[in-house]
Amino acid sequence: VSHRANHGTTKTQEGIHKKLSRDYPNRIKYYPFHCTLKGARAPEETQRTRIFLYTAVAFSLATIFQVDNLNIFENGITSINFSKRADLINARASRTTHPKTLHHMRKFFSHVAKKEFKINHPFLFSTKTDIFKLIHSFNRHDYINSTVTCTKTFQRFDHNSNATHCGGCSQCIDRRFAAFASHLEEFDAIYNFEISKDSFLLDDAKTHLCDYIKLASNFSNESVNSFYHDKIEVLSELVDYIEGMHELEKVETLFQLCKKHFQQIHFAIKRILYK
């Protein structure tokens, strides 16, 4: 279930649908909906409300088919979205798949449906690297370069005209590090700027890269106690919306997720430097 905003999006979705249908016959149904902006682009680029668009479409279809749940797929580091710097807090910080956001969406849909409706987040405790490795375990490497996760697809890529990804947005940086961390960089997308060899010309790309590495490195020397103390504000808006565990167990699980993320990024950096 998704929306189509332009020809490129349509081509990408139809391509991955074809491969999924090939590998998992009689299990895949594709429901696209045309939805796009008109006129000048808004200066505000976070697209925070897109989760409402996606889940509303999925909820509508689930209701038609008498299904009482839907799945949201995102890695935990992106969903939690720890603040990377002071000016990325509150309104400017995207929380599209944050457990608290999904909790309130679930309550809203349950109210509309007049019965309990669930939103599942199966990869909350997985990193992007974990997802790459999972794809590898099923030998579906052709899925990787068939998908697009860049937030700048509306831009022209002048540095590399064959690129499908800018290489400098936060999603591209996270994806490329995950590819190197999982030894799957050769199966990854084509980037306008390649972090393993190109110099970024745009200041915001440099900022995204530095912020990403700095955030990961902050987890390197943390203990579970310091993690709890340093991230108490973030955790206070998080643990109440994770089901199935005691509060301390939730904190420990989140801590281990962050530590694993740092270790994977550190490994990716070493591979990039000595490639």
Side-chain angles (χ1 to χ4, degrees), residues 70-124:
L70 61 86
N71 296 322
I72 297 293
F73 299 100
E74 183 59 272
N75 70 81
I77 297 297
T78 298
S79 288
I80 297 168
N81 198 6
F82 291 102
S83 179
K84 300 179 180 68
R85 60 183 190 273
D87 65 339
L88 282 178
I89 58 175
N90 299 328
R92 291 190 61 193
S94 175
R95 293 288 187 268
T96 56
T97 57
H98 191 280
K100 184 177 181 179
T101 302
L102 299 185
H103 168 79
H104 288 301
M105 292 297 298
R106 179 188 62 77
K107 288 183 62 178
F108 172 71
F109 290 139
S110 296
H111 177 74
V112 173
K114 297 181 179 179
K115 63 179 182 179
E116 185 68 18
F117 190 87
K118 293 190 67 176
I119 299 179
N120 307 311
H121 191 335
F123 296 138
L124 176 61

Side-chain angles (χ1 to χ4, degrees), residues 144-145 147-148 164-165 175-176 185 187-191 194:
I144 297 175
N145 63 13
T147 59
V148 176
T164 57
H165 291 65
R175 175 180 176 134
R176 197 58 177 145
E185 67 272 13
F187 298 98
D188 199 8
I190 302 173
Y191 294 83
E194 169 57 58

Side-chain angles (χ1 to χ4, degrees), residues 159-191:
H159 185 68
N160 185 343
S161 59
N162 293 320
T164 57
H165 291 65
C166 73
C169 69
S170 58
Q171 291 283 16
C172 282
I173 291 168
D174 187 33
R175 175 180 176 134
R176 197 58 177 145
F177 273 117
F180 274 98
S182 56
H183 289 273
L184 295 172
E185 67 272 13
E186 294 183 3
F187 298 98
D188 199 8
I190 302 173
Y191 294 83

